[in-house]
Amino acid sequence: MRFVVPAVLLLVALIHALPLLGVVSAARVSSLYGIAVQDSNLEILMRHRAVLFGLLAAFLAYAAFHRHLHSLALIAAAVSVVAFLALAISVRNYNSALSSVVKADIFALALLVIAAIVHLLTRGDAAYST
């Protein structure tokens, strides 16, 4: 059980690291999300978004190895995933590339729920401490 939360944090970190590829260029952002990034303002925003996802991914990966950060990391990841899913549900009509992101975030949310339950059940468990 002691590896559940770290494993989930690493998997969710990987999911959040994928958009980091978008920092390279507008073309990479376009291929990731299936959108045309023809406006320089949108390019700046989307590439900056990639940097922020990279930071979140780095924190989640770091937290995976530091039990005292597990709660914070689970909350940060859940906020990110739930916010994206809420936006996707409220806006609808997203393309197939974003549909893949929605599916990845649903998977991540399921993992996060499992990890949160394990984390809560094993909080005082000395065998769980890392």
Side-chain angles (χ1 to χ4, degrees), residues 73-115:
L74 290 169
I75 291 167
V79 167
S80 173
V81 168
V82 169
F84 178 79
L85 291 173
L87 289 168
I89 290 167
S90 69
V91 173
R92 298 186 196 147
N93 297 326
Y94 41 82
N95 64 25
S96 62
L98 282 183
S99 178
S100 295
V101 177
V102 167
K103 290 174 187 167
D105 274 10
I106 290 170
F107 175 68
L109 183 58
L111 291 175
L112 289 166
V113 167
I114 292 166

Side-chain angles (χ1 to χ4, degrees), residues 22-26 29 42-51:
V23 79
V24 176
S25 68
V29 170
L42 180 59
E43 178 181 350
I44 292 166
L45 291 170
M46 292 300 291
R47 291 175 72 188
H48 183 256
R49 177 185 186 277
V51 171

Side-chain angles (χ1 to χ4, degrees), residues 4-36:
V4 172
V5 175
V8 166
L9 288 174
L10 289 172
L11 280 169
V12 175
L14 179 62
I15 291 169
H16 279 80
L18 294 174
L20 188 55
L21 298 170
V23 79
V24 176
S25 68
R28 188 64 68 142
V29 170
S30 294
S31 68
L32 282 170
Y33 299 112
I35 59 171

Side-chain angles (χ1 to χ4, degrees), residues 64-81:
F65 300 100
H66 299 276
R67 188 181 187 292
H68 68 281
L69 294 173
H70 286 181
S71 294
L72 183 59
L74 290 169
I75 291 167
V79 167
S80 173
V81 168

